[in-house]
Amino acid sequence: MLKRVHFKHPVLPYLLVAPQLAVTLIFFIWPAAQALWQSMLVQDAFGLGTQFVWFQNYLELWGDPQYLNSIKVTAIFTISVTALGIGSGLFLATMADRVIRFASGYRTLLITPYAVAPAVAGVLWLFLFNPTVGILAYLMQGMGIAWNPLVNGEDAMIMVIIAAAWKQVSYNFVFFLAGLQSIPRSLIEAAAIDGAGPFRRFWTVIFPLLSPTTFFLMVVNLVYAFFETFATIHATTSGGPSNATNIMVYKVYKDGFVGLDLGSSAAQSVVLMFIVIALTVVQFRYVERRVEYGT
Protein backbone atom coordinates (compact mmCIF):
# COMPACT_ATOMS: atom_id res chain seq x y z
CA MET A 1 0.00 0.00 0.00
CA LEU A 2 1.09 3.56 -0.71
CA LYS A 3 1.90 5.36 2.50
CA ARG A 4 0.92 9.01 2.45
CA VAL A 5 2.59 11.66 4.58
CA HIS A 6 0.43 14.27 6.24
CA PHE A 7 1.83 17.58 7.45
CA LYS A 8 0.33 19.44 10.37
CA HIS A 9 0.75 22.81 8.65
CA PRO A 10 -0.30 23.18 4.98
CA VAL A 11 2.54 25.61 4.24
CA LEU A 12 5.32 23.27 5.42
CA PRO A 13 5.48 21.09 2.24
CA TYR A 14 5.95 24.20 0.11
CA LEU A 15 8.71 25.47 2.40
CA LEU A 16 10.52 22.15 2.10
CA VAL A 17 10.55 22.20 -1.72
CA ALA A 18 11.17 25.96 -1.96
CA PRO A 19 15.01 25.70 -2.03
CA GLN A 20 14.95 23.18 -4.87
CA LEU A 21 12.38 25.23 -6.78
CA ALA A 22 14.52 28.34 -6.32
CA VAL A 23 17.61 26.57 -7.68
CA THR A 24 15.63 25.24 -10.65
CA LEU A 25 14.14 28.64 -11.45
CA ILE A 26 17.38 30.59 -11.08
CA PHE A 27 19.82 28.23 -12.75
CA PHE A 28 17.62 26.37 -15.27
CA ILE A 29 14.29 28.01 -16.12
CA TRP A 30 15.52 31.61 -16.11
CA PRO A 31 18.63 30.99 -18.31
CA ALA A 32 16.54 28.89 -20.71
CA ALA A 33 13.97 31.68 -21.00
CA GLN A 34 16.74 34.24 -21.54
CA ALA A 35 18.30 32.09 -24.27
CA LEU A 36 14.92 31.71 -25.99
CA TRP A 37 14.39 35.49 -25.91
CA GLN A 38 17.96 36.21 -27.04
CA SER A 39 17.56 33.82 -29.98
CA MET A 40 14.90 36.11 -31.45
CA LEU A 41 17.11 39.20 -31.36
CA VAL A 42 19.82 40.58 -33.60
CA GLN A 43 22.27 42.98 -32.00
CA ASP A 44 25.63 44.44 -32.82
CA ALA A 45 28.79 43.14 -31.20
CA PHE A 46 28.90 46.06 -28.75
CA GLY A 47 25.29 45.69 -27.63
CA LEU A 48 24.36 49.22 -28.72
CA GLY A 49 21.54 48.23 -31.05
CA THR A 50 18.97 45.43 -30.84
CA GLN A 51 16.27 44.34 -33.26
CA PHE A 52 13.53 41.76 -32.72
CA VAL A 53 13.53 39.39 -35.74
CA TRP A 54 11.30 36.53 -34.60
CA PHE A 55 12.64 33.24 -36.03
CA GLN A 56 15.14 34.66 -38.51
CA ASN A 57 18.13 33.34 -36.56
CA TYR A 58 16.68 29.82 -36.66
CA LEU A 59 16.00 30.00 -40.40
CA GLU A 60 19.54 31.16 -41.08
CA LEU A 61 20.93 28.19 -39.18
CA TRP A 62 19.45 25.67 -41.60
CA GLY A 63 21.08 27.52 -44.49
CA ASP A 64 24.49 27.59 -42.82
CA PRO A 65 26.76 24.77 -44.10
CA GLN A 66 29.00 25.05 -41.05
CA TYR A 67 26.07 24.55 -38.68
CA LEU A 68 24.78 21.56 -40.65
CA ASN A 69 28.30 20.13 -40.55
CA SER A 70 28.39 20.59 -36.76
CA ILE A 71 25.18 18.55 -36.47
CA LYS A 72 26.77 15.69 -38.42
CA VAL A 73 29.98 15.94 -36.39
CA THR A 74 28.00 15.96 -33.15
CA ALA A 75 26.02 12.86 -34.15
CA ILE A 76 29.20 10.90 -34.97
CA PHE A 77 30.97 12.15 -31.86
CA THR A 78 28.06 11.48 -29.47
CA ILE A 79 27.30 7.97 -30.73
CA SER A 80 30.99 7.02 -30.69
CA VAL A 81 31.69 8.41 -27.21
CA THR A 82 28.57 6.80 -25.76
CA ALA A 83 29.21 3.40 -27.34
CA LEU A 84 32.93 3.37 -26.52
CA GLY A 85 32.43 4.62 -22.96
CA ILE A 86 29.64 2.19 -22.08
CA GLY A 87 31.27 -0.75 -23.85
CA SER A 88 34.65 -0.18 -22.21
CA GLY A 89 33.08 0.35 -18.80
CA LEU A 90 31.08 -2.87 -19.08
CA PHE A 91 34.11 -4.87 -20.24
CA LEU A 92 36.34 -3.58 -17.42
CA ALA A 93 33.61 -4.12 -14.83
CA THR A 94 33.14 -7.70 -16.01
CA MET A 95 36.87 -8.36 -15.78
CA ALA A 96 37.21 -6.65 -12.38
CA ASP A 97 34.27 -8.61 -10.99
CA ARG A 98 36.20 -11.84 -11.60
CA VAL A 99 39.37 -10.68 -9.87
CA ILE A 100 39.90 -12.20 -6.42
CA ARG A 101 43.41 -11.10 -5.41
CA PHE A 102 44.13 -7.35 -5.19
CA ALA A 103 40.56 -6.63 -6.31
CA SER A 104 40.32 -3.34 -4.42
CA GLY A 105 43.57 -2.12 -5.98
CA TYR A 106 42.40 -2.86 -9.51
CA ARG A 107 39.08 -1.13 -8.92
CA THR A 108 40.74 1.94 -7.41
CA LEU A 109 43.02 2.30 -10.43
CA LEU A 110 40.09 1.97 -12.82
CA ILE A 111 38.08 4.61 -10.96
CA THR A 112 40.92 7.14 -10.78
CA PRO A 113 40.50 8.70 -14.29
CA TYR A 114 37.09 10.08 -13.29
CA ALA A 115 38.89 12.54 -10.99
CA VAL A 116 40.72 14.04 -13.98
CA ALA A 117 39.25 17.27 -15.35
CA PRO A 118 37.99 17.07 -18.97
CA ALA A 119 40.51 19.67 -20.13
CA VAL A 120 43.36 17.75 -18.49
CA ALA A 121 42.16 14.52 -20.09
CA GLY A 122 42.15 16.22 -23.48
CA VAL A 123 45.67 17.59 -23.05
CA LEU A 124 46.89 14.18 -21.88
CA TRP A 125 45.67 12.41 -24.99
CA LEU A 126 46.82 15.30 -27.20
CA PHE A 127 50.31 14.77 -25.82
CA LEU A 128 50.13 10.99 -26.39
CA PHE A 129 48.89 11.45 -29.96
CA ASN A 130 51.12 14.42 -30.82
CA PRO A 131 52.90 13.57 -34.10
CA THR A 132 56.18 15.08 -32.85
CA VAL A 133 56.57 13.91 -29.24
CA GLY A 134 53.61 11.55 -28.67
CA ILE A 135 54.39 7.97 -27.68
CA LEU A 136 51.29 6.50 -29.34
CA ALA A 137 51.88 8.55 -32.48
CA TYR A 138 55.48 7.27 -32.60
CA LEU A 139 54.29 3.66 -32.33
CA MET A 140 51.71 4.14 -35.08
CA GLN A 141 54.25 5.77 -37.35
CA GLY A 142 56.55 2.82 -36.70
CA MET A 143 53.77 0.53 -37.94
CA GLY A 144 53.41 2.60 -41.10
CA ILE A 145 50.22 4.43 -40.04
CA ALA A 146 50.16 8.06 -41.14
CA TRP A 147 48.90 9.91 -38.07
CA ASN A 148 48.60 13.64 -37.54
CA PRO A 149 45.54 14.95 -35.65
CA LEU A 150 46.82 18.51 -36.03
CA VAL A 151 46.09 18.57 -39.76
CA ASN A 152 43.94 15.49 -40.43
CA GLY A 153 40.28 15.81 -39.46
CA GLU A 154 39.63 12.06 -39.12
CA ASP A 155 42.64 11.62 -36.85
CA ALA A 156 41.52 14.58 -34.73
CA MET A 157 38.02 13.12 -34.38
CA ILE A 158 39.40 9.74 -33.28
CA MET A 159 41.61 11.47 -30.73
CA VAL A 160 38.84 13.53 -29.11
CA ILE A 161 36.48 10.53 -29.07
CA ILE A 162 39.08 8.46 -27.21
CA ALA A 163 39.83 11.33 -24.81
CA ALA A 164 36.16 12.00 -24.04
CA ALA A 165 35.27 8.31 -23.67
CA TRP A 166 38.32 7.62 -21.46
CA LYS A 167 37.17 10.35 -19.10
CA GLN A 168 33.73 8.71 -18.75
CA VAL A 169 34.79 5.05 -18.60
CA SER A 170 35.41 5.19 -14.83
CA TYR A 171 31.89 6.52 -14.18
CA ASN A 172 30.38 3.71 -16.24
CA PHE A 173 32.68 1.17 -14.60
CA VAL A 174 31.46 2.04 -11.08
CA PHE A 175 27.79 1.56 -11.95
CA PHE A 176 28.32 -1.61 -13.97
CA LEU A 177 30.44 -3.12 -11.21
CA ALA A 178 27.75 -2.32 -8.64
CA GLY A 179 25.16 -3.89 -10.94
CA LEU A 180 27.24 -7.03 -11.43
CA GLN A 181 27.77 -7.46 -7.70
CA SER A 182 24.03 -7.17 -7.07
CA ILE A 183 23.25 -10.13 -9.36
CA PRO A 184 22.66 -13.33 -7.31
CA ARG A 185 25.42 -15.84 -7.92
CA SER A 186 22.85 -18.62 -7.77
CA LEU A 187 21.42 -17.50 -11.13
CA ILE A 188 24.81 -17.63 -12.83
CA GLU A 189 25.64 -20.97 -11.24
CA ALA A 190 22.29 -22.41 -12.35
CA ALA A 191 22.96 -21.31 -15.93
CA ALA A 192 26.41 -22.91 -15.75
CA ILE A 193 24.90 -26.17 -14.49
CA ASP A 194 22.48 -26.10 -17.44
CA GLY A 195 25.47 -26.08 -19.76
CA ALA A 196 25.59 -22.40 -20.72
CA GLY A 197 29.10 -21.16 -21.51
CA PRO A 198 30.54 -17.86 -20.23
CA PHE A 199 29.48 -15.94 -23.35
CA ARG A 200 25.93 -17.31 -23.28
CA ARG A 201 25.63 -16.75 -19.52
CA PHE A 202 26.59 -13.12 -20.04
CA TRP A 203 24.08 -12.38 -22.81
CA THR A 204 21.16 -14.44 -21.46
CA VAL A 205 21.51 -13.90 -17.71
CA ILE A 206 23.88 -11.10 -16.74
CA PHE A 207 23.29 -8.46 -19.41
CA PRO A 208 19.45 -8.52 -19.20
CA LEU A 209 19.73 -7.98 -15.44
CA LEU A 210 22.04 -5.02 -16.13
CA SER A 211 19.50 -3.36 -18.43
CA PRO A 212 18.35 -0.76 -15.83
CA THR A 213 21.98 0.25 -15.27
CA THR A 214 22.67 0.31 -19.01
CA PHE A 215 19.62 2.47 -19.67
CA PHE A 216 20.62 4.94 -16.95
CA LEU A 217 24.19 5.16 -18.27
CA MET A 218 22.96 5.62 -21.83
CA VAL A 219 21.02 8.73 -20.81
CA VAL A 220 23.91 10.08 -18.72
CA ASN A 221 26.51 9.44 -21.43
CA LEU A 222 24.43 11.12 -24.13
CA VAL A 223 24.07 14.25 -22.01
CA TYR A 224 27.79 14.10 -21.21
CA ALA A 225 28.75 13.83 -24.89
CA PHE A 226 26.49 16.73 -25.86
CA PHE A 227 27.48 19.20 -23.14
CA GLU A 228 30.35 18.19 -20.87
CA THR A 229 32.90 17.49 -23.61
CA PHE A 230 33.30 21.19 -24.40
CA ALA A 231 36.51 21.45 -22.32
CA THR A 232 38.00 18.41 -24.05
CA ILE A 233 37.42 19.91 -27.50
CA HIS A 234 38.59 23.35 -26.41
CA ALA A 235 41.84 22.04 -24.93
CA THR A 236 42.75 19.77 -27.85
CA THR A 237 41.51 20.87 -31.26
CA SER A 238 39.40 24.02 -30.74
CA GLY A 239 36.94 22.55 -33.22
CA GLY A 240 39.53 22.00 -35.95
CA PRO A 241 41.13 21.13 -38.17
CA SER A 242 38.72 22.54 -40.75
CA ASN A 243 35.76 22.19 -38.32
CA ALA A 244 36.24 18.41 -38.22
CA THR A 245 35.64 18.36 -34.45
CA ASN A 246 33.42 21.43 -34.20
CA ILE A 247 30.53 19.90 -32.22
CA MET A 248 27.36 21.88 -31.58
CA VAL A 249 28.16 22.99 -28.04
CA TYR A 250 31.55 24.29 -29.16
CA LYS A 251 30.02 26.15 -32.11
CA VAL A 252 27.67 27.87 -29.65
CA TYR A 253 30.75 29.12 -27.81
CA LYS A 254 32.66 30.18 -30.94
CA ASP A 255 29.76 32.08 -32.49
CA GLY A 256 28.75 33.73 -29.22
CA PHE A 257 32.00 34.50 -27.39
CA VAL A 258 34.45 34.66 -30.31
CA GLY A 259 32.30 35.80 -33.22
CA LEU A 260 29.98 37.85 -30.94
CA ASP A 261 26.93 36.74 -32.94
CA LEU A 262 24.79 36.49 -29.83
CA GLY A 263 21.46 35.89 -31.57
CA SER A 264 22.71 32.96 -33.65
CA SER A 265 24.57 31.52 -30.65
CA ALA A 266 21.42 31.67 -28.53
CA ALA A 267 19.38 30.03 -31.30
CA GLN A 268 21.92 27.22 -31.52
CA SER A 269 21.78 26.67 -27.76
CA VAL A 270 17.99 26.44 -27.89
CA VAL A 271 18.13 23.92 -30.74
CA LEU A 272 20.71 21.89 -28.84
CA MET A 273 18.55 21.95 -25.71
CA PHE A 274 15.50 20.67 -27.58
CA ILE A 275 17.55 17.95 -29.31
CA VAL A 276 18.76 16.62 -25.96
CA ILE A 277 15.26 16.83 -24.48
CA ALA A 278 13.81 14.98 -27.48
CA LEU A 279 16.46 12.24 -27.27
CA THR A 280 15.84 11.81 -23.56
CA VAL A 281 12.07 11.56 -24.07
CA VAL A 282 12.53 9.00 -26.86
CA GLN A 283 14.78 6.93 -24.62
CA PHE A 284 12.31 6.95 -21.74
CA ARG A 285 9.36 6.37 -24.09
CA TYR A 286 10.70 3.54 -26.23
CA VAL A 287 14.06 2.25 -24.98
CA GLU A 288 12.87 1.85 -21.38
CA ARG A 289 10.26 -0.66 -22.57
CA ARG A 290 13.08 -3.16 -23.10
CA VAL A 291 14.45 -2.61 -19.61
CA GLU A 292 13.84 -5.47 -17.19
CA TYR A 293 13.58 -4.33 -13.58
CA GLY A 294 14.07 -6.99 -10.96
CA THR A 295 11.55 -7.48 -8.20
Side-chain angles (χ1 to χ4, degrees):
M1 295 178 61
L2 181 63
K3 185 177 181 180
R4 302 185 63 181
V5 179
H6 298 276
F7 294 91
K8 295 181 179 180
H9 200 286
V11 182
L12 182 58
Y14 299 99
L15 293 177
L16 293 175
V17 300
Q20 182 61 45
L21 290 177
V23 170
T24 303
L25 289 173
I26 295 173
F27 294 101
F28 293 95
I29 305 301
W30 175 250
Q34 286 292 100
L36 185 60
W37 170 251
Q38 188 75 39
S39 68
M40 297 184 181
L41 302 177
V42 170
Q43 55 184 280
D44 61 274
F46 300 98
L48 301 177
T50 302
Q51 181 181 0
F52 185 76
V53 293
W54 286 99
F55 300 104
Q56 179 180 338
N57 290 323
Y58 294 95
L59 296 176
E60 291 179 353
L61 288 180
W62 306 117
D64 183 4
Q66 292 188 3
Y67 182 71
L68 298 178
N69 175 71
S70 71
I71 295 178
K72 182 184 71 173
V73 171
T74 303
I76 297 173
F77 177 78
T78 302
I79 294 173
S80 301
V81 169
T82 301
L84 182 60
I86 291 179
S88 301
L90 178 58
F91 174 77
L92 293 174
T94 304
M95 295 298 102
D97 190 46
R98 296 180 179 181
V99 174
I100 299 177
R101 297 184 61 185
F102 309 110
S104 60
Y106 285 117
R107 293 166 186 172
T108 302
L109 290 175
L110 291 170
I111 294 171
T112 301
Y114 189 67
V116 179
V120 176
V123 172
L124 170 65
W125 285 97
L126 177 62
F127 180 78
L128 292 174
F129 282 121
N130 188 284
T132 304
V133 297
I135 298 175
L136 296 180
Y138 176 78
L139 294 176
M140 286 188 290
Q141 290 171 3
M143 293 185 292
I145 301 175
W147 175 268
N148 192 342
L150 302 180
V151 297
N152 188 294
E154 293 183 0
D155 294 347
M157 174 61 79
I158 294 173
M159 181 184 67
V160 294
I161 288 173
I162 293 175
W166 176 80
K167 172 67 178 66
Q168 194 70 1
V169 164
S170 299
Y171 184 89
N172 300 330
F173 167 79
V174 171
F175 281 91
F176 275 129
L177 183 61
L180 288 170
Q181 293 179 343
S182 66
I183 297 175
R185 295 298 173 184
S186 58
L187 295 178
I188 302 175
E189 293 171 358
I193 293 174
D194 290 339
F199 185 80
R200 186 175 181 184
R201 289 200 302 269
F202 178 81
W203 286 111
T204 59
V205 178
I206 298 175
F207 190 70
L209 294 174
L210 287 176
S211 56
T213 304
T214 306
F215 173 73
F216 165 76
L217 290 176
M218 188 181 300
V219 176
V220 171
N221 279 260
L222 279 175
V223 175
Y224 163 79
F226 269 105
F227 294 107
E228 299 180 35
T229 52
F230 167 83
T232 303
I233 299 293
H234 188 58
T236 53
T237 63
S238 297
S242 301
N243 294 323
T245 59
N246 193 22
I247 60 177
M248 295 174 70
V249 68
Y250 194 76
K251 193 174 189 308
V252 170
Y253 160 77
K254 287 182 66 175
D255 289 357
F257 290 90
V258 179
L260 296 179
D261 189 354
L262 302 181
S264 177
S265 177
Q268 293 176 46
S269 66
V270 172
V271 172
L272 180 59
M273 177 182 66
F274 279 108
I275 289 176
V276 173
I277 292 174
L279 287 175
T280 305
V281 170
V282 167
Q283 287 183 348
F284 276 93
R285 182 68 176 83
Y286 298 103
V287 179
E288 193 182 20
R289 291 181 176 180
R290 300 178 180 269
V291 175
E292 299 179 8
Y293 294 97
T295 56

